[in-house]
Amino acid sequence: MWHLYQFPLCPFSRKVRLLLGEKGIAYELISEYPWEKRPGFRDISQTGQTPAMRNSERDVAIADSNAICEYFEEVEPAKPLLVGSAEVRAETRRLIAWFDGRFYAEVGMPLLAEKMIKRLFYRQPPDASVLRGAMRATTEHMEMLGAALDHHRWLVGNAISMADLAAAAHLSVADYLGGIDWAGHDQVRDWYAALKSRPSFRPLLDERMGALMPPAHYGDVNF
Amino acid sequence: MWHLYQFPLCPFSRKVRLLLGEKGIAYELISEYPWEKRPGFRDISQTGQTPAMRNSERDVAIADSNAICEYFEEVEPAKPLLVGSAEVRAETRRLIAWFDGRFYAEVGMPLLAEKMIKRLFYRQPPDASVLRGAMRATTEHMEMLGAALDHHRWLVGNAISMADLAAAAHLSVADYLGGIDWAGHDQVRDWYAALKSRPSFRPLLDERMGALMPPAHYGDVNF
């Protein structure tokens, strides 16, 4: 059995969970909060970051969300999530890097720092100027997504891919933290609604991070 | 013909160049300095970051260093650089993410900011405390590399892989900027000397970034 070390609002862990869900791979969750710096976790994830996966029967541990996703794409190719030509797969990986890098730096990380870490652990109010910066950045990303969806149903073509899962994982964390204004982004909303209605997404939408509550529309498929 | 948009001290571009060199793929360099924010570059690289590659005859453009490396691994599999079992390939990708993420954040980026950007563009001296922090971080990375090389000749086994190229690309930029103290790291030094002596590495070692000169040992295979 695979175990996934993660916490509910880790966007990188959510990306892995969506992939495992789409592929129908069984796993159990283990709560891991990187900021607690639990000593034993470094044996599984040398960076101390989530997600990491471990299969104790087979003595395999894998850290880094992309290493995990590429691994399961290789060993469970039956339901492929890297699809199309080599050029389309390159575009898929570029979009994943966009969300893991730029979206996380500009939107996800500031929202997690201000709304999750400060609230739950320091009992401090968020810095309003940082939140405004994250909201401004969100607009650029929503427009980029809208432009990609002008051409086809999913981000890189007419089949769902890892790019959709990565984008939805990061968006879902920002949405939980009240960082997404959906008004005026109908195309992105329709695409995200289609993702939300997939069985792989349901467990994520039902989870809560401690005392932190998402906005009312967060779990709703028709939002 | 492929064109690679890069600048001499971009570690991510160096990783791609080593891969192209190892695979024997022909390409031409185009100088691109991301901090100049040349408008046309956004058409090739939406993030504005190097490296990006373009093949105008085939109307293909690929941005993001990992998307580029995985692409050429797929279309030119004859000289594989993702080798071994799925678990070994996962470890390869984890190490690449380590160097692209952690090493770059802790060592490469501060050195480039303090020693390249400040010196060449602002005519300012570097911040000594930032340089000390980067040097301290380097030690942890050298020890990690040494531990990996205890078990086999290359980072993930007895064949060279993308992990070696990624690590060497990032180390070479830090070494150019005087950020590596090789004393006491003989195993890492031997591994890096073997990489330096490969034909794929030579063009990188001969290049200079403007008026910025590397230390005397930088280009020497027997350093």
Side-chain angles (χ1 to χ4, degrees), chain B residues 1 20 52 73 84 89 92 98 101 104 120 135 163 190 194 202 205:
Chain B
M1 169 66 79
L20 297 173
E73 186 70 6
R89 289 197 296 275
T92 308
W98 175 287
Y104 182 65
L120 292 184
M135 290 293 281
D190 290 348
R202 200 67 247 165
L205 295 173

Side-chain angles (χ1 to χ4, degrees), chain A residues 42 46-47 49 58 60 62-64 67 70-71 74-75 86-87 89-90 93-94 97-98 102 144, chain B residues 42 46-47 49 58 60 62-64 67 70-71 74-75 86-87 89-90 93-94 97-98 102 144:
Chain A
R42 290 263 165 173
Q46 206 175 358
T47 59
Q49 291 170 327
R58 293 179 37 216
V60 175
I62 309 175
D64 180 69
E70 297 272 359
Y71 174 83
E74 289 186 3
V75 298
E87 288 75 22
R89 289 195 297 273
R93 291 187 174 104
R94 181 190 73 80
W98 176 286
R102 185 150 296 212
M144 187 275 279
Chain B
R42 290 264 165 173
Q46 207 175 356
T47 60
Q49 291 170 327
R58 294 178 38 215
V60 175
I62 309 176
D64 179 69
E70 296 272 357
Y71 174 83
E74 290 186 1
V75 299
E87 288 75 23
R89 289 197 296 275
R93 290 186 174 107
R94 182 190 73 82
W98 175 287
R102 186 150 295 213
M144 187 274 280

